[in-house]
Amino acid sequence: MFNISLKVPLAGWQNDSDKLINDLDKTRILDAFKAEFDARNMTLVEDNADAVVTLFLVIDNKTSTTAYTNYMGGMGMGYGYGWGMGMGAGMGTSTTTYSENDYEVGTLVVDVYDAGTKKLAWQGVLQKTINEKASKREKTIPKNAAKIMKQYPVPAAK
């Protein structure tokens, strides 16, 4: 059996990135990754591990701007003869409305290091717009952990 170490919660997060989320979501994330490694027959241990897992979280505040132009009416006049030659003039007004939408983008990075050499063995990254209610995170966090771990070289046991 391959042993993997997920350090105690506060030490398992790089650069104190765990301070960006609440304790409940930290526990959900750690539990989700523990379940993913368990599904791959990898046991989380505190000592004598073959690999070390660290998590890194970045939350960026973003703003999107949308512009909508409304063309109002218009009059035109013109004349022409023959084969379609002619002139025209038109008048009209338009109004452009801008709206801004603030949102957050979260990036979760999972690093797996070889415990002996301390070299990076694998990295999984997921970037997602954070727009869900806190009540939905109980389901979405495990789904997102599974999405990251789908790329892990050891597949989940069926």
Side-chain angles (χ1 to χ4, degrees):
M1 181 172 285
F2 188 82
N3 291 327
I4 195 158
S5 170
L6 181 61
K7 298 177 186 177
V8 291
L10 294 178
W13 296 85
Q14 293 179 353
N15 299 333
D16 294 326
S17 66
D18 63 312
K19 292 178 181 173
L20 299 173
I21 57 174
N22 62 46
D23 288 339
L24 181 59
D25 285 340
K26 277 189 270 192
T27 300
R28 287 175 176 159
I29 291 169
L30 293 172
D31 288 347
F33 281 104
K34 181 183 182 313
E36 286 296 320
F37 285 111
D38 285 348
R40 288 161 175 76
N41 295 318
M42 301 171 132
T43 305
L44 295 175
V45 296
E46 292 297 323
D47 297 314
N48 301 321
D50 299 310
V52 177
V53 177
T54 60
L55 304 171
F56 184 74
L57 180 66
V58 177
I59 297 177
D60 290 321
N61 293 313
K62 304 268 186 174
T63 302
S64 67
T65 304
T66 305
Y68 173 75
T69 303
N70 184 9
Y71 295 99
M72 310 275 268
M75 299 183 334
M77 56 183 170
Y79 67 92
Y81 72 94
W83 293 90
M85 298 184 347
M87 297 175 41
M91 296 180 355
T93 61
S94 66
T95 304
T96 301
T97 305
Y98 296 93
S99 63
E100 290 187 348
N101 181 33
D102 294 329
Y103 63 100
E104 293 178 321
V105 174
T107 304
L108 178 62
V109 180
V110 181
D111 289 332
V112 178
Y113 293 93
D114 181 292
T117 64
K118 308 253 190 278
K119 290 187 178 179
L120 183 64
W122 181 80
Q123 183 177 72
V125 179
L126 178 69
Q127 188 173 56
K128 186 173 171 139
T129 300
I130 302 170
N131 59 2
E132 67 211 26
K133 296 179 182 176
S135 60
K136 292 185 178 183
R137 291 185 189 139
E138 186 174 355
K139 291 181 181 179
T140 58
I141 287 174
K143 284 181 185 178
N144 288 325
K147 192 181 231 182
I148 291 173
M149 293 299 291
K150 196 176 228 181
Q151 303 303 316
Y152 194 73
V154 177
K158 300 210 176 201

